[in-house]
Amino acid sequence: MPIALSVKTTHRIDMIDITSSVQKEVSNTGIQDGICAVYVPHTTAGITINEGADPDVCEDIMAKLSELVPSRRGYRHTEGNADSHIKASLMGNSLSVLVENGRLVLGTWQKIFFCEFDGPRSRKVYVKVIC
Amino acid sequence: MPIALSVKTTHRIDMIDITSSVQKEVSNTGIQDGICAVYVPHTTAGITINEGADPDVCEDIMAKLSELVPSRRGYRHTEGNADSHIKASLMGNSLSVLVENGRLVLGTWQKIFFCEFDGPRSRKVYVKVIC
Amino acid sequence: MPIALSVKTTHRIDMIDITSSVQKEVSNTGIQDGICAVYVPHTTAGITINEGADPDVCEDIMAKLSELVPSRRGYRHTEGNADSHIKASLMGNSLSVLVENGRLVLGTWQKIFFCEFDGPRSRKVYVKVIC
């Protein structure tokens, strides 16, 4: 089984900073130099990297996604989460981040965000480092 | 040359489940543990992972993309497929999936979908496993 | 430190073909066979692969992104670039491209584009090849 982080989300639409949890798993592997794959095994959640300093950035991302892909009726999929699936594909569910000297190589303002689109739920994120 | 899957699409906009074909190529490599890169070498097609159980999910994704990026006139690119290029960039053309015990590590509901935005056509998808 | 390309952008929203610079760094590694990760360490810029032959394709992509995510007021983030952050997450900030015989394996019409959403600026792109 791959390394799996547990993520608890608290709203239907939510963005959770998982950077330190991903870094901890990278550190646990002992790998100094490689590529870290971060993978969301869900179909109504995604992953993105964006600014972590001002939480309003995530609020704006979520508001815009909800404006472009509203959760109203009118979809064919009748489970009430058609919008969640669409949002997930727009954000994507896999990322690659470089690892150097045992650390994720992120830009100054970058944080890794788990994107919940059909919460609140308990979710998983897989992490794997290849060197 | 990389491993290349052939994909036949049957509509202008189409999503084709290629999961079993990708898995077959992963199995052929004999690699038990690694990362599988899936890459679309076209500019009017993309790739995404989403729910495969209810085909209406893909219908909703395609309908929303066509609503946000309609195929009407008004673009600068005059080949009639400007919308196809835009949809391709919104979905993305590369994915990474973990491989463990020789199997793609996908979530319960996840399938890998080739996204055609200017079909019907014969297309290629490259697959490579790194360990 | 990872290999870092420097990219100069000249407009607020801009797409710059960085394919030959990425290929040069791949060649410098001497690696013949692997996966090339291309990573943007910024939160108001992204990366995509699309058609390079007709510059109107990029114009259409930028125009549509600006229509879907306009740069007007009304966002919570008050630095005037909320739209730039949203556009960055829609495009994504990491890519994987296969490498065979020391060359990026790109489709006939594909070029790698750095996507500026809050320029003009001097930017970085990280490149790493894993084999």
Side-chain angles (χ1 to χ4, degrees), chain B residues 1-124:
Chain B
M1 287 299 298
I3 299 165
L5 303 178
S6 292
V7 181
K8 274 243 170 227
T9 62
T10 56
H11 300 88
R12 183 167 193 271
I13 303 200
D14 210 356
M15 289 175 68
I16 309 280
D17 179 353
I18 60 170
T19 314
S20 63
S21 304
V22 176
Q23 176 60 56
K24 194 186 295 180
E25 298 303 340
V26 171
S27 300
N28 285 345
T29 67
I31 294 173
Q32 293 298 303
D33 191 77
I35 291 176
C36 175
V38 186
Y39 185 89
V40 171
H42 307 288
T43 59
T44 53
I47 192 135
T48 196
I49 289 179
N50 216 302
E51 187 190 305
D54 178 2
D56 280 345
V57 169
C58 286
E59 292 293 330
D60 286 330
I61 292 171
M62 292 186 285
K64 175 53 76 174
L65 280 173
S66 293
E67 180 198 317
L68 295 175
V69 190
S71 66
R72 56 162 169 68
R73 299 167 186 220
Y75 298 103
R76 284 165 164 249
H77 183 58
T78 53
E79 294 180 17
N81 61 0
D83 64 300
S84 319
H85 289 288
I86 299 168
K87 286 165 177 144
S89 276
L90 284 174
M91 281 296 99
N93 78 318
S94 71
L95 277 184
S96 296
V97 183
L98 309 196
V99 174
E100 306 250 346
N101 301 315
R103 308 289 305 172
L104 295 164
V105 183
L106 296 168
T108 311
W109 304 103
Q110 287 187 322
K111 298 290 180 187
I112 305 172
F113 289 97
F114 180 86
C115 303
E116 173 65 79
F117 296 124
D118 191 28
R121 295 214 209 175
S122 294
R123 300 288 207 169
K124 296 281 179 212

Side-chain angles (χ1 to χ4, degrees), chain A residues 34-47:
Chain A
I35 291 176
C36 176
V38 185
Y39 185 88
V40 171
H42 307 287
T43 58
T44 53
I47 192 135

Side-chain angles (χ1 to χ4, degrees), chain C residues 108-127:
Chain C
T108 312
W109 304 103
Q110 287 187 322
K111 297 291 179 186
I112 305 171
F113 290 97
F114 180 86
C115 303
E116 174 65 80
F117 296 124
D118 191 28
R121 295 214 209 176
S122 294
R123 301 289 206 169
K124 296 282 179 211
V125 178
Y126 297 149
V127 176

